[in-house]
């Protein structure tokens, strides 16, 4: 069942707008718009895109979710961010958990997160312990910067739609507008920046501007393909210390040069 006609009436009513005002704002003819609201015609893809941008709601939600029964609030409020969040749902309208694999990682970070066809082609799973009123997605990891997780780990992320909801000290998957996907511990560092820190002290912390963030997903669990190893022994700790000293020496030489 498609809810586009009832959703158009509901969204317009919530804004106290007339049909004429909405049709003018969307650059639709009044008769054309009325047919969408009355369910006589289904808006084509181009018109759906205009509607989604006008109301800041994803096309998926416009079509498949009864917005009279769902509190969507401010769906996306990140500064300079895109205005839709592509999602997939099951036959009952429940959000599915999309799995971003290593193979799909580069495409996702490069902007596939805004592409409905890209998202729909990802593998999907259902995790019954997750809150059905929240949006989750699974992301792969690289390297050893966030032990005990490694490149055999995948992080289950909960979508964060407001930067103000980020809690200092917690870990998050961040998708940047520079086509990067990182998993770090965040702390506010000034008014418009975060400090990104690795739990592995071998890696330096760095900063990111709010305006460079495309998506943030809060840690909600992990999927592991190998057992966690026992606590590192003294020899391994010493190895890490030596590596850190070597890295610091390289940085000092570079500055002196």
């Amino acid at each position: 069942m498609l809810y586009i006609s009832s959703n158009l009436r509901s969204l317009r009513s919530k804004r106290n707008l007339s049909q004429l005002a909405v049709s003018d704002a969307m650059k639709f003819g009044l008769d054309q718009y009325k047919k969408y609201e009355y369910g006589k015609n289904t808006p084509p893809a181009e018109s759906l895109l205009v509607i989604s941008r006008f109301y800041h709601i994803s096309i998926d939600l416009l079509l498949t979710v009864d917005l009279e029964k769902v509190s969507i609030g401010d769906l996306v409020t990140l500064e300079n961010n895109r205005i839709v969040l592509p999602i997939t749902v099951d036959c009952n309208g429940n959000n599915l958990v999309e799995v971003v694999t290593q193979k799909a990682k580069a495409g996702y970070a490069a902007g596939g997160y805004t592409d409905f066809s890209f998202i729909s082609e990802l593998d999907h799973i259902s995790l019954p312990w997750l809150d059905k009123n929240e949006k989750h997605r699974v992301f792969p990891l690289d390297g050893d910067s966030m032990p005990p997780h490694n490149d055999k780990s995948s992080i289950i992320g909960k979508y964060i739609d407001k930067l103000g909801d980020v809690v200092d000290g917690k870990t998050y998957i961040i998708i940047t507008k520079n086509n990067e996907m990182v998993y770090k511990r965040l702390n506010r560092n000034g008014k418009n920046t975060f400090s990104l820190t690795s739990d592995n002290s071998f890696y330096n912390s760095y900063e990111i501007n709010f305006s460079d963030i495309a998506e943030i997903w809060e840690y909600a669990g992990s999927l592991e393909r190998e057992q966690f190893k026992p606590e590192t022994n003294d020899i391994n700790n010493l190895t890490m210390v030596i590596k850190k000293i070597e890295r610091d020496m390289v940085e000092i030489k570079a500055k002196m040069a």
Side-chain angles (χ1 to χ4, degrees), residues 31-89:
D31 289 340
Q32 174 190 6
Y33 176 78
K34 285 182 177 181
K35 290 178 180 179
Y36 296 158
E37 266 205 13
Y38 298 149
K40 293 182 178 180
N41 287 341
T42 298
E46 295 82 1
S47 298
L48 286 171
L49 186 58
V50 171
I51 295 167
S52 74
R53 288 177 173 172
F54 181 79
Y55 286 116
H56 294 258
I57 295 175
S58 74
I59 294 175
D60 198 348
L61 289 177
L62 284 170
L63 291 174
T64 63
V65 176
D66 185 351
L67 298 180
E68 283 285 356
K69 300 178 180 179
V70 177
S71 177
I72 56 174
D74 294 325
L75 184 61
V76 176
T77 57
L78 299 182
E79 292 85 347
N80 299 317
N81 199 6
R82 69 193 186 286
I83 58 176
V84 294
L85 174 66
I87 62 172
T88 51
V89 296

Short mmCIF file of all heavy atoms in Angstrom, two decimals, residues 31-89:
data_model
loop_
_atom_site.label_atom_id
_atom_site.label_comp_id
_atom_site.label_asym_id
_atom_site.label_seq_id
_atom_site.Cartn_x
_atom_site.Cartn_y
_atom_site.Cartn_z
N ASP A 31 -4.04 21.70 -10.57
CA ASP A 31 -4.79 20.49 -10.90
C ASP A 31 -3.92 19.25 -10.78
O ASP A 31 -4.38 18.20 -10.31
CB ASP A 31 -5.37 20.60 -12.32
CG ASP A 31 -6.51 21.61 -12.41
OD1 ASP A 31 -7.08 21.93 -11.34
OD2 ASP A 31 -6.82 22.06 -13.52
N GLN A 32 -2.67 19.38 -11.23
CA GLN A 32 -1.74 18.26 -11.14
C GLN A 32 -1.52 17.86 -9.68
O GLN A 32 -1.58 16.68 -9.33
CB GLN A 32 -0.39 18.66 -11.77
CG GLN A 32 0.72 17.62 -11.60
CD GLN A 32 2.08 18.16 -12.03
OE1 GLN A 32 2.22 19.34 -12.34
NE2 GLN A 32 3.07 17.30 -12.03
N TYR A 33 -1.31 18.88 -8.81
CA TYR A 33 -1.06 18.59 -7.40
C TYR A 33 -2.30 17.98 -6.74
O TYR A 33 -2.18 17.04 -5.94
CB TYR A 33 -0.65 19.86 -6.65
CG TYR A 33 -0.49 19.62 -5.17
CD1 TYR A 33 0.66 19.00 -4.67
CD2 TYR A 33 -1.51 19.95 -4.28
CE1 TYR A 33 0.78 18.73 -3.31
CE2 TYR A 33 -1.38 19.69 -2.93
CZ TYR A 33 -0.24 19.08 -2.45
OH TYR A 33 -0.12 18.80 -1.11
N LYS A 34 -3.48 18.49 -7.05
CA LYS A 34 -4.70 17.96 -6.45
C LYS A 34 -4.87 16.47 -6.77
O LYS A 34 -5.31 15.68 -5.92
CB LYS A 34 -5.92 18.73 -6.95
CG LYS A 34 -6.08 20.12 -6.33
CD LYS A 34 -7.34 20.79 -6.86
CE LYS A 34 -7.56 22.15 -6.21
NZ LYS A 34 -8.80 22.80 -6.71
N LYS A 35 -4.51 16.06 -7.98
CA LYS A 35 -4.62 14.65 -8.35
C LYS A 35 -3.69 13.78 -7.50
O LYS A 35 -4.01 12.64 -7.18
CB LYS A 35 -4.30 14.48 -9.83
CG LYS A 35 -5.39 15.05 -10.75
CD LYS A 35 -5.03 14.90 -12.21
CE LYS A 35 -6.13 15.49 -13.10
NZ LYS A 35 -5.79 15.38 -14.54
N TYR A 36 -2.52 14.33 -7.10
CA TYR A 36 -1.62 13.60 -6.22
C TYR A 36 -2.24 13.44 -4.84
O TYR A 36 -2.20 12.36 -4.24
CB TYR A 36 -0.28 14.33 -6.09
CG TYR A 36 0.52 14.44 -7.36
CD1 TYR A 36 1.50 15.43 -7.49
CD2 TYR A 36 0.32 13.56 -8.42
CE1 TYR A 36 2.25 15.55 -8.65
CE2 TYR A 36 1.08 13.67 -9.57
CZ TYR A 36 2.04 14.67 -9.69
OH TYR A 36 2.78 14.78 -10.83
N GLU A 37 -2.82 14.53 -4.33
CA GLU A 37 -3.42 14.49 -2.98
C GLU A 37 -4.65 13.59 -2.94
O GLU A 37 -4.87 12.88 -1.95
CB GLU A 37 -3.80 15.90 -2.52
CG GLU A 37 -2.73 16.58 -1.70
CD GLU A 37 -3.30 17.64 -0.77
OE1 GLU A 37 -4.54 17.70 -0.58
OE2 GLU A 37 -2.50 18.43 -0.21
N TYR A 38 -5.43 13.61 -3.98
CA TYR A 38 -6.67 12.83 -3.99
C TYR A 38 -6.45 11.39 -4.42
O TYR A 38 -7.39 10.60 -4.45
CB TYR A 38 -7.70 13.50 -4.91
CG TYR A 38 -8.11 14.90 -4.46
CD1 TYR A 38 -8.48 15.86 -5.38
CD2 TYR A 38 -8.11 15.24 -3.11
CE1 TYR A 38 -8.86 17.14 -4.98
CE2 TYR A 38 -8.49 16.51 -2.70
CZ TYR A 38 -8.85 17.46 -3.63
OH TYR A 38 -9.21 18.73 -3.22
N GLY A 39 -5.20 11.05 -4.75
CA GLY A 39 -4.89 9.68 -5.10
C GLY A 39 -5.30 9.29 -6.51
O GLY A 39 -5.30 8.10 -6.85
N LYS A 40 -5.61 10.27 -7.34
CA LYS A 40 -5.99 9.96 -8.72
C LYS A 40 -4.77 9.65 -9.57
O LYS A 40 -4.85 8.86 -10.53
CB LYS A 40 -6.77 11.12 -9.32
CG LYS A 40 -8.12 11.35 -8.66
CD LYS A 40 -8.88 12.49 -9.33
CE LYS A 40 -10.25 12.68 -8.69
NZ LYS A 40 -11.00 13.79 -9.33
N ASN A 41 -3.65 10.27 -9.25
CA ASN A 41 -2.38 10.00 -9.92
C ASN A 41 -1.28 9.80 -8.87
O ASN A 41 -1.32 10.44 -7.81
CB ASN A 41 -1.97 11.16 -10.84
CG ASN A 41 -2.80 11.23 -12.10
OD1 ASN A 41 -3.44 10.24 -12.47
ND2 ASN A 41 -2.79 12.39 -12.75
N THR A 42 -0.31 8.92 -9.16
CA THR A 42 0.86 8.77 -8.31
C THR A 42 1.98 9.63 -8.88
O THR A 42 2.28 9.54 -10.09
CB THR A 42 1.32 7.31 -8.26
OG1 THR A 42 0.27 6.51 -7.70
CG2 THR A 42 2.57 7.16 -7.39
N PRO A 43 2.61 10.48 -8.05
CA PRO A 43 3.67 11.34 -8.57
C PRO A 43 4.79 10.53 -9.20
O PRO A 43 5.22 9.52 -8.64
CB PRO A 43 4.16 12.09 -7.33
CG PRO A 43 3.05 11.98 -6.35
CD PRO A 43 2.38 10.68 -6.61
N PRO A 44 5.30 10.94 -10.38
CA PRO A 44 6.45 10.26 -10.98
C PRO A 44 7.71 10.55 -10.17
O PRO A 44 7.70 11.36 -9.23
CB PRO A 44 6.52 10.87 -12.38
CG PRO A 44 5.90 12.22 -12.23
CD PRO A 44 4.81 12.05 -11.20
N ALA A 45 8.81 9.90 -10.55
CA ALA A 45 10.05 10.02 -9.78
C ALA A 45 10.50 11.46 -9.62
O ALA A 45 10.91 11.89 -8.53
CB ALA A 45 11.15 9.19 -10.45
N GLU A 46 10.43 12.24 -10.69
CA GLU A 46 10.88 13.63 -10.63
C GLU A 46 10.05 14.44 -9.62
O GLU A 46 10.58 15.26 -8.86
CB GLU A 46 10.79 14.28 -12.01
CG GLU A 46 11.72 13.68 -13.07
CD GLU A 46 11.15 12.42 -13.69
OE1 GLU A 46 10.02 12.02 -13.32
OE2 GLU A 46 11.83 11.84 -14.55
N SER A 47 8.73 14.20 -9.61
CA SER A 47 7.86 14.92 -8.68
C SER A 47 8.09 14.46 -7.24
O SER A 47 8.06 15.27 -6.31
CB SER A 47 6.39 14.71 -9.07
OG SER A 47 6.12 15.24 -10.35
N LEU A 48 8.33 13.16 -7.04
CA LEU A 48 8.62 12.65 -5.70
C LEU A 48 9.88 13.29 -5.14
O LEU A 48 9.95 13.59 -3.94
CB LEU A 48 8.77 11.13 -5.74
CG LEU A 48 7.48 10.32 -5.89
CD1 LEU A 48 7.81 8.85 -6.11
CD2 LEU A 48 6.60 10.48 -4.65
N LEU A 49 10.86 13.49 -5.99
CA LEU A 49 12.10 14.13 -5.54
C LEU A 49 11.83 15.56 -5.08
O LEU A 49 12.35 16.00 -4.05
CB LEU A 49 13.13 14.11 -6.67
CG LEU A 49 14.54 14.60 -6.33
CD1 LEU A 49 15.12 13.78 -5.19
CD2 LEU A 49 15.44 14.54 -7.56
N VAL A 50 11.00 16.28 -5.82
CA VAL A 50 10.65 17.66 -5.45
C VAL A 50 9.91 17.66 -4.11
O VAL A 50 10.20 18.48 -3.22
CB VAL A 50 9.78 18.31 -6.54
CG1 VAL A 50 9.23 19.65 -6.06
CG2 VAL A 50 10.58 18.48 -7.83
N ILE A 51 8.97 16.74 -3.94
CA ILE A 51 8.19 16.67 -2.70
C ILE A 51 9.07 16.34 -1.52
O ILE A 51 8.96 16.94 -0.44
CB ILE A 51 7.06 15.62 -2.85
CG1 ILE A 51 6.05 16.05 -3.91
CG2 ILE A 51 6.36 15.40 -1.51
CD1 ILE A 51 5.09 14.95 -4.33
N SER A 52 9.98 15.37 -1.69
CA SER A 52 10.85 14.96 -0.58
C SER A 52 11.75 16.10 -0.15
O SER A 52 12.02 16.27 1.05
CB SER A 52 11.69 13.74 -0.99
OG SER A 52 12.73 14.10 -1.88
N ARG A 53 12.21 16.90 -1.09
CA ARG A 53 13.08 18.02 -0.74
C ARG A 53 12.29 19.15 -0.08
O ARG A 53 12.80 19.85 0.79
CB ARG A 53 13.80 18.53 -2.00
CG ARG A 53 14.89 17.58 -2.47
CD ARG A 53 15.55 18.03 -3.76
NE ARG A 53 16.68 17.17 -4.08
CZ ARG A 53 17.35 17.23 -5.23
NH1 ARG A 53 17.00 18.10 -6.16
NH2 ARG A 53 18.37 16.43 -5.44
N PHE A 54 11.05 19.32 -0.52
CA PHE A 54 10.21 20.37 0.06
C PHE A 54 9.92 20.08 1.53
O PHE A 54 9.98 20.97 2.38
CB PHE A 54 8.91 20.50 -0.73
CG PHE A 54 7.99 21.58 -0.22
CD1 PHE A 54 8.22 22.90 -0.54
CD2 PHE A 54 6.89 21.27 0.57
CE1 PHE A 54 7.37 23.90 -0.07
CE2 PHE A 54 6.04 22.25 1.04
CZ PHE A 54 6.29 23.58 0.72
N TYR A 55 9.60 18.81 1.84
CA TYR A 55 9.24 18.45 3.21
C TYR A 55 10.40 17.86 4.01
O TYR A 55 10.24 17.54 5.19
CB TYR A 55 8.09 17.44 3.19
CG TYR A 55 6.75 18.05 2.83
CD1 TYR A 55 6.08 17.68 1.67
CD2 TYR A 55 6.16 19.00 3.66
CE1 TYR A 55 4.85 18.25 1.35
CE2 TYR A 55 4.93 19.57 3.34
CZ TYR A 55 4.29 19.19 2.19
OH TYR A 55 3.08 19.76 1.87
N HIS A 56 11.56 17.70 3.39
CA HIS A 56 12.74 17.14 4.07
C HIS A 56 12.44 15.75 4.62
O HIS A 56 12.74 15.43 5.77
CB HIS A 56 13.21 18.06 5.21
CG HIS A 56 13.72 19.38 4.73
ND1 HIS A 56 15.05 19.69 4.61
CD2 HIS A 56 13.06 20.48 4.30
CE1 HIS A 56 15.20 20.91 4.15
NE2 HIS A 56 13.99 21.42 3.95
N ILE A 57 11.86 14.92 3.78
CA ILE A 57 11.50 13.55 4.16
C ILE A 57 11.87 12.63 3.01
O ILE A 57 11.67 12.98 1.84
CB ILE A 57 10.00 13.44 4.48
CG1 ILE A 57 9.64 14.26 5.72
CG2 ILE A 57 9.60 11.98 4.71
CD1 ILE A 57 8.16 14.29 6.01
N SER A 58 12.40 11.46 3.33
CA SER A 58 12.82 10.54 2.28
C SER A 58 11.64 10.06 1.46
O SER A 58 10.51 9.97 1.94
CB SER A 58 13.55 9.33 2.88
OG SER A 58 12.64 8.45 3.49
N ILE A 59 11.90 9.74 0.20
CA ILE A 59 10.87 9.21 -0.69
C ILE A 59 10.32 7.90 -0.15
O ILE A 59 9.13 7.62 -0.25
CB ILE A 59 11.43 9.02 -2.11
CG1 ILE A 59 11.78 10.39 -2.72
CG2 ILE A 59 10.44 8.28 -3.01
CD1 ILE A 59 12.46 10.31 -4.08
N ASP A 60 11.20 7.09 0.45
CA ASP A 60 10.78 5.81 1.03
C ASP A 60 9.70 6.04 2.08
O ASP A 60 8.66 5.37 2.10
CB ASP A 60 12.00 5.12 1.65
CG ASP A 60 11.76 3.64 1.89
OD1 ASP A 60 10.61 3.20 1.79
OD2 ASP A 60 12.72 2.93 2.19
N LEU A 61 9.92 7.01 2.96
CA LEU A 61 8.93 7.31 3.99
C LEU A 61 7.64 7.85 3.38
O LEU A 61 6.54 7.49 3.80
CB LEU A 61 9.49 8.31 5.00
CG LEU A 61 10.58 7.81 5.94
CD1 LEU A 61 11.08 8.94 6.82
CD2 LEU A 61 10.06 6.68 6.81
N LEU A 62 7.77 8.73 2.40
CA LEU A 62 6.59 9.31 1.76
C LEU A 62 5.69 8.24 1.16
O LEU A 62 4.46 8.34 1.22
CB LEU A 62 7.01 10.28 0.66
CG LEU A 62 7.53 11.66 1.10
CD1 LEU A 62 8.14 12.38 -0.10
CD2 LEU A 62 6.41 12.49 1.71
N LEU A 63 6.30 7.20 0.62
CA LEU A 63 5.55 6.18 -0.08
C LEU A 63 5.03 5.07 0.83
O LEU A 63 3.91 4.58 0.65
CB LEU A 63 6.40 5.55 -1.19
CG LEU A 63 6.73 6.43 -2.39
CD1 LEU A 63 7.70 5.71 -3.31
CD2 LEU A 63 5.47 6.81 -3.15
N THR A 64 5.83 4.66 1.82
CA THR A 64 5.54 3.40 2.51
C THR A 64 5.13 3.52 3.97
O THR A 64 4.77 2.52 4.59
CB THR A 64 6.76 2.47 2.43
OG1 THR A 64 7.87 3.08 3.13
CG2 THR A 64 7.18 2.21 0.99
N VAL A 65 5.20 4.71 4.54
CA VAL A 65 4.90 4.87 5.97
C VAL A 65 3.76 5.86 6.15
O VAL A 65 3.76 6.94 5.54
CB VAL A 65 6.14 5.35 6.75
CG1 VAL A 65 5.80 5.60 8.21
CG2 VAL A 65 7.27 4.33 6.63
N ASP A 66 2.80 5.50 6.97
CA ASP A 66 1.69 6.40 7.30
C ASP A 66 2.21 7.44 8.29
O ASP A 66 2.35 7.17 9.49
CB ASP A 66 0.53 5.61 7.91
CG ASP A 66 -0.70 6.47 8.15
OD1 ASP A 66 -0.60 7.71 8.00
OD2 ASP A 66 -1.75 5.90 8.50
N LEU A 67 2.49 8.62 7.81
CA LEU A 67 3.12 9.66 8.64
C LEU A 67 2.18 10.21 9.71
O LEU A 67 2.63 10.93 10.61
CB LEU A 67 3.64 10.78 7.74
CG LEU A 67 4.73 10.36 6.74
CD1 LEU A 67 5.17 11.56 5.92
CD2 LEU A 67 5.91 9.73 7.46
N GLU A 68 0.90 9.90 9.62
CA GLU A 68 -0.02 10.28 10.69
C GLU A 68 0.26 9.47 11.95
O GLU A 68 -0.05 9.88 13.06
CB GLU A 68 -1.46 10.06 10.25
CG GLU A 68 -1.99 11.13 9.30
CD GLU A 68 -2.31 12.43 10.02
OE1 GLU A 68 -2.17 12.48 11.27
OE2 GLU A 68 -2.70 13.41 9.36
N LYS A 69 0.87 8.28 11.77
CA LYS A 69 1.08 7.38 12.90
C LYS A 69 2.54 7.32 13.33
O LYS A 69 2.88 6.62 14.28
CB LYS A 69 0.63 5.96 12.52
CG LYS A 69 -0.85 5.88 12.15
CD LYS A 69 -1.23 4.47 11.74
CE LYS A 69 -2.69 4.39 11.36
NZ LYS A 69 -3.08 3.01 10.92
N VAL A 70 3.41 8.06 12.64
CA VAL A 70 4.84 8.01 12.94
C VAL A 70 5.33 9.41 13.27
O VAL A 70 5.06 10.36 12.54
CB VAL A 70 5.64 7.46 11.74
CG1 VAL A 70 7.14 7.49 12.02
CG2 VAL A 70 5.19 6.05 11.42
N SER A 71 6.05 9.54 14.39
CA SER A 71 6.66 10.81 14.76
C SER A 71 8.04 10.88 14.13
O SER A 71 8.98 10.24 14.57
CB SER A 71 6.77 10.93 16.28
OG SER A 71 7.42 12.12 16.65
N ILE A 72 8.15 11.67 13.06
CA ILE A 72 9.42 11.72 12.35
C ILE A 72 10.31 12.88 12.80
O ILE A 72 11.51 12.84 12.62
CB ILE A 72 9.18 11.83 10.83
CG1 ILE A 72 8.30 13.03 10.52
CG2 ILE A 72 8.57 10.56 10.28
CD1 ILE A 72 8.12 13.30 9.05
N GLY A 73 9.72 13.89 13.46
CA GLY A 73 10.51 15.00 13.96
C GLY A 73 11.37 15.62 12.86
O GLY A 73 10.99 15.68 11.71
N ASP A 74 12.56 16.03 13.26
CA ASP A 74 13.53 16.54 12.30
C ASP A 74 14.34 15.36 11.82
O ASP A 74 15.25 14.91 12.50
CB ASP A 74 14.45 17.59 12.94
CG ASP A 74 13.67 18.83 13.33
OD1 ASP A 74 12.73 19.18 12.61
OD2 ASP A 74 14.01 19.43 14.36
N LEU A 75 14.02 14.86 10.64
CA LEU A 75 14.64 13.62 10.17
C LEU A 75 16.14 13.77 10.03
O LEU A 75 16.91 12.94 10.46
CB LEU A 75 14.02 13.22 8.83
CG LEU A 75 14.52 11.89 8.26
CD1 LEU A 75 14.19 10.76 9.21
CD2 LEU A 75 13.91 11.65 6.90
N VAL A 76 16.59 14.84 9.42
CA VAL A 76 18.01 15.10 9.27
C VAL A 76 18.26 16.57 9.55
O VAL A 76 17.67 17.43 8.92
CB VAL A 76 18.50 14.77 7.83
CG1 VAL A 76 19.96 15.15 7.66
CG2 VAL A 76 18.32 13.29 7.54
N THR A 77 19.14 16.87 10.52
CA THR A 77 19.38 18.26 10.86
C THR A 77 20.87 18.61 10.89
O THR A 77 21.25 19.65 11.37
CB THR A 77 18.78 18.59 12.25
OG1 THR A 77 19.35 17.71 13.23
CG2 THR A 77 17.28 18.44 12.25
N LEU A 78 21.73 17.73 10.37
CA LEU A 78 23.15 18.04 10.33
C LEU A 78 23.39 19.20 9.38
O LEU A 78 22.82 19.26 8.29
CB LEU A 78 23.96 16.82 9.86
CG LEU A 78 23.86 15.58 10.73
CD1 LEU A 78 24.75 14.49 10.16
CD2 LEU A 78 24.24 15.87 12.16
N GLU A 79 24.26 20.14 9.80
CA GLU A 79 24.52 21.31 8.98
C GLU A 79 24.99 20.91 7.59
O GLU A 79 25.85 20.05 7.43
CB GLU A 79 25.59 22.18 9.64
CG GLU A 79 25.15 22.83 10.93
CD GLU A 79 25.32 21.94 12.13
OE1 GLU A 79 25.54 20.72 11.98
OE2 GLU A 79 25.23 22.45 13.25
N ASN A 80 24.40 21.55 6.59
CA ASN A 80 24.77 21.35 5.19
C ASN A 80 24.65 19.90 4.75
O ASN A 80 25.30 19.46 3.80
CB ASN A 80 26.22 21.82 4.94
CG ASN A 80 26.38 23.30 5.23
OD1 ASN A 80 25.54 24.10 4.85
ND2 ASN A 80 27.45 23.65 5.92
N ASN A 81 23.85 19.13 5.44
CA ASN A 81 23.72 17.72 5.09
C ASN A 81 22.65 17.54 4.03
O ASN A 81 21.86 18.44 3.75
CB ASN A 81 23.36 16.90 6.35
CG ASN A 81 23.66 15.42 6.19
OD1 ASN A 81 24.25 15.01 5.19
ND2 ASN A 81 23.27 14.64 7.16
N ARG A 82 22.62 16.37 3.43
CA ARG A 82 21.56 16.07 2.49
C ARG A 82 20.23 16.04 3.24
O ARG A 82 20.23 15.99 4.48
CB ARG A 82 21.82 14.74 1.80
CG ARG A 82 21.66 13.58 2.75
CD ARG A 82 22.21 12.31 2.14
NE ARG A 82 21.91 11.22 3.04
CZ ARG A 82 22.53 11.02 4.18
NH1 ARG A 82 23.47 11.85 4.57
NH2 ARG A 82 22.22 9.99 4.95
N ILE A 83 19.14 15.95 2.54
CA ILE A 83 17.85 16.11 3.19
C ILE A 83 17.04 14.83 3.25
O ILE A 83 15.91 14.84 3.69
CB ILE A 83 17.02 17.18 2.47
CG1 ILE A 83 16.84 16.81 1.00
CG2 ILE A 83 17.64 18.54 2.62
CD1 ILE A 83 15.96 17.78 0.23
N VAL A 84 17.61 13.71 2.79
CA VAL A 84 16.88 12.47 2.88
C VAL A 84 17.78 11.38 3.42
O VAL A 84 19.00 11.42 3.30
CB VAL A 84 16.33 12.02 1.49
CG1 VAL A 84 15.29 12.99 1.00
CG2 VAL A 84 17.45 11.89 0.47
N LEU A 85 17.17 10.37 4.06
CA LEU A 85 17.89 9.20 4.56
C LEU A 85 17.27 7.97 3.91
O LEU A 85 16.20 7.53 4.33
CB LEU A 85 17.78 9.10 6.08
CG LEU A 85 18.36 7.83 6.71
CD1 LEU A 85 19.88 7.79 6.52
CD2 LEU A 85 18.01 7.74 8.18
N PRO A 86 17.91 7.41 2.88
CA PRO A 86 17.34 6.22 2.25
C PRO A 86 17.29 5.06 3.24
O PRO A 86 18.27 4.78 3.94
CB PRO A 86 18.33 5.92 1.11
CG PRO A 86 19.07 7.20 0.89
CD PRO A 86 19.14 7.86 2.23
N ILE A 87 16.16 4.40 3.31
CA ILE A 87 16.01 3.26 4.20
C ILE A 87 15.28 2.15 3.46
O ILE A 87 14.68 2.37 2.42
CB ILE A 87 15.22 3.61 5.48
CG1 ILE A 87 13.79 4.06 5.11
CG2 ILE A 87 15.93 4.67 6.29
CD1 ILE A 87 12.89 4.24 6.32
N THR A 88 15.35 0.94 4.01
CA THR A 88 14.59 -0.18 3.47
C THR A 88 13.69 -0.72 4.57
O THR A 88 14.05 -0.71 5.74
CB THR A 88 15.52 -1.30 2.97
OG1 THR A 88 16.46 -1.63 4.00
CG2 THR A 88 16.29 -0.85 1.75
N VAL A 89 12.53 -1.18 4.18
CA VAL A 89 11.56 -1.68 5.14
C VAL A 89 11.04 -3.04 4.68
O VAL A 89 11.11 -3.38 3.50
CB VAL A 89 10.38 -0.70 5.32
CG1 VAL A 89 10.85 0.62 5.90
CG2 VAL A 89 9.66 -0.48 3.99
#
